[in-house]
């Protein structure tokens, strides 16, 4: 009986993880036509984050104690994992292909190991080092360094900025997933992941409102259409997809899947986000990658998987586990990234 329930739980968890990867992977494909139609990348990010924040307000109210207990975690999550990742990623896909931007972002697990080794001064396993080498080597194939960086250099830097912001998320997760102490020295349980996500979206929306200045946006574009590989798609439909599917549904299913699976398994499934994004961009946007780029992308994902799986664990719990989309940390697992996309 217990084995049957365990198998069923695992199956449901895998299904939710796949749904989360698909939802996150479609964000760039839906956003790029809006950007090409005339919307500023920052305005698209603001619409996504602000819309999702409004939907998550009831959850934020339910976990309002987090504002008092973990203000630094919420501020950092909103600044890096929401505003930083989204702004850099959407700005990157306005200049380079969606698949390339996401694969560059998947350097985050390798960069986390750099933080562990050189900042925290903890040893890194040989397998983890191999993962870093593979990820960097695969990235060289993705950007075709032998052709003198055929892609927009600024676009690549923006995608790398998104990866660095994901590192900030992972580091915050390491602290946020652990127990703390209240003012009266009582133990404080790890914050609920949905509460952190809700407040992260709210903080991110506030930051992006100041940066993006949405009052200067051409709102008439939202009533028009955006071109998707020669076909016109209503702009409001793309916005709805980004907010409801690529953000709210993606985060919710990602959190539940991590709870039902091990962080490592959820992280492996999350790596499919890059594959899904590349395939969708190929089919819906006509963005074709060459054979060396596809091989390089596979090597990047392999390296990211090895790096995250071999990350050393401190006595209090793991630093981070998960790909661009999902990260697992101690008892209070949080979904990343996806805040990534």
């Amino acid at each position: 009986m217990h084995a049957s329930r365990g198998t069923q739980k695992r199956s449901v968890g895998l299904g939710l993880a796949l749904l989360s990867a698909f939802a996150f992977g479609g964000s760039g494909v839906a956003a790029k036509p809006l950007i090409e139609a005339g919307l500023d990348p920052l305005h698209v990010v603001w619409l996504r984050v602000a819309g999702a924040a409004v939907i998550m307000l009831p959850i934020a109210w339910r976990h309002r104690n987090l504002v008092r207990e973990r203000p630094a975690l919420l501020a950092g999550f909103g600044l890096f994992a929401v505003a930083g990742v989204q702004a850099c990623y959407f700005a990157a896909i306005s200049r380079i292909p969606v698949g390339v931007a996401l694969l560059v972002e998947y350097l985050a697990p390798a960069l986390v190991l750099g933080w562990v080794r050189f900042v925290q001064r903890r040893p890194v396993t040989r397998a983890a080092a191999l993962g870093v080498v593979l990820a960097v080597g695969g990235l060289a194939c993705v950007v075709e360094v032998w052709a003198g960086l055929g892609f927009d250099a600024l676009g690549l830097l923006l995608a790398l900025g998104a990866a660095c912001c994901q590192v900030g998320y992972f580091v915050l997760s390491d602290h946020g997933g652990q127990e703390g102490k209240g003012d009266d020295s009582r133990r404080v349980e790890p914050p609920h992941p949905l509460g952190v996500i809700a407040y992260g979206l709210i903080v991110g929306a506030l930051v992006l409102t100041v940066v993006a200045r949405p009052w200067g946006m051409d709102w008439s574009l939202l009533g028009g259409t955006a071109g998707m590989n020669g076909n016109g798609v209503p702009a409001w439909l793309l916005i709805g997809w980004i907010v409801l599917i690529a953000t709210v549904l993606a985060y919710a299913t990602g959190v539940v899947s991590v709870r039902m699976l091990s962080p490592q398994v959820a992280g492996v499934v999350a790596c499919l986000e890059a594959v899904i994004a590349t395939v969708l961009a190929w089919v819906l946007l006509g963005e074709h990658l060459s054979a060396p780029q596809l091989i390089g992308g596979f090597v990047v994902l392999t390296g990211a998987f090895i790096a995250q799986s071999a990350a050393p664990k401190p006595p209090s719990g793991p630093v981070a586990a998960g790909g661009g989309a999902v990260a697992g940390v101690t008892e209070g697992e949080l979904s990343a990234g996806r805040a990534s996309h």
Side-chain angles (χ1 to χ4, degrees):
M1 179 66 71
H2 291 291
S4 177
R5 288 182 178 178
T7 301
Q8 183 178 12
K9 181 179 179 180
R10 183 180 179 86
S11 299
V12 173
L14 286 173
L16 291 175
L18 286 171
L19 179 59
S20 179
F22 177 82
F24 274 123
S27 65
V29 176
K32 189 156 189 171
L34 293 170
I35 295 171
E36 292 178 342
L39 281 176
D40 187 276
L42 279 177
H43 290 159
V44 178
V45 176
W46 180 83
L47 287 169
R48 176 186 186 179
V49 175
V54 171
I55 295 174
M56 296 289 281
L57 279 176
I59 294 177
W61 176 255
R62 181 178 180 181
H63 298 284
R64 56 191 179 278
N65 60 303
L66 290 177
V67 177
R68 182 184 69 259
E69 296 175 356
R70 300 295 180 95
L73 173 64
L74 301 184
F77 189 85
L79 183 61
F80 291 103
V82 176
V85 172
Q86 304 300 338
C88 288
Y89 175 67
F90 278 16
I93 65 173
S94 70
R95 309 179 72 95
I96 61 178
V98 171
V100 172
L102 198 52
L103 287 169
V104 172
E105 191 176 330
Y106 264 78
L107 282 179
L111 295 176
V112 168
L113 289 181
W115 173 275
V116 171
R117 179 65 182 87
F118 298 108
V119 179
Q120 296 185 333
R121 297 186 180 280
R122 285 163 41 205
V124 174
T125 64
R126 290 183 179 180
L130 173 62
V132 173
V133 172
L134 285 174
V136 174
L139 181 63
C141 295
V142 172
V143 301
E144 297 183 325
V145 292
W146 56 84
L149 289 180
F151 293 110
D152 186 288
L154 178 58
L156 292 175
L157 286 175
L158 288 168
L160 184 59
C164 291
C165 287
Q166 286 238 29
V167 173
Y169 163 76
F170 290 142
V171 173
L172 286 169
S173 296
D174 181 31
H175 297 287
Q178 300 172 8
E179 291 183 347
K181 288 185 178 181
D183 296 335
D184 55 359
S185 297
R186 290 184 305 175
R187 304 301 296 180
V188 177
E189 292 297 319
H192 194 284
L194 281 180
V196 175
I197 290 171
Y199 278 103
L201 289 168
I202 292 173
V203 172
L206 293 175
V207 172
L208 289 169
T209 297
V210 175
V211 176
R213 300 180 179 182
W215 48 85
M217 178 171 52
D218 186 358
W219 292 88
S220 63
L221 292 174
L222 301 183
T225 60
M228 182 175 283
N229 200 20
N231 300 312
V233 180
W236 63 265
L237 183 60
L238 295 175
I239 292 293
W241 175 277
I242 292 173
V243 172
L244 297 175
I245 306 299
T247 306
V248 176
L249 178 64
Y251 273 118
T253 53
V255 168
V256 175
S257 69
V258 172
R259 292 276 175 118
M260 301 180 77
L261 304 168
S262 69
Q264 288 75 17
V265 173
V268 172
V269 179
C271 286
L272 292 175
E273 177 191 344
V275 178
I276 291 170
T278 302
V279 172
L280 289 178
W282 195 322
V283 174
L284 299 178
L285 301 181
E287 294 183 349
H288 300 273
L289 299 184
S290 64
Q293 288 176 316
L294 293 175
I295 294 173
F298 174 77
V299 174
V300 168
L301 296 180
T302 301
F305 165 63
I306 294 175
Q308 73 180 15
S309 300
K313 297 181 179 180
S316 59
V319 171
V326 177
V329 289
T330 62
E331 298 177 50
E333 295 103 333
L334 302 173
S335 174
R338 273 114 23 124
S340 97
H341 324 298

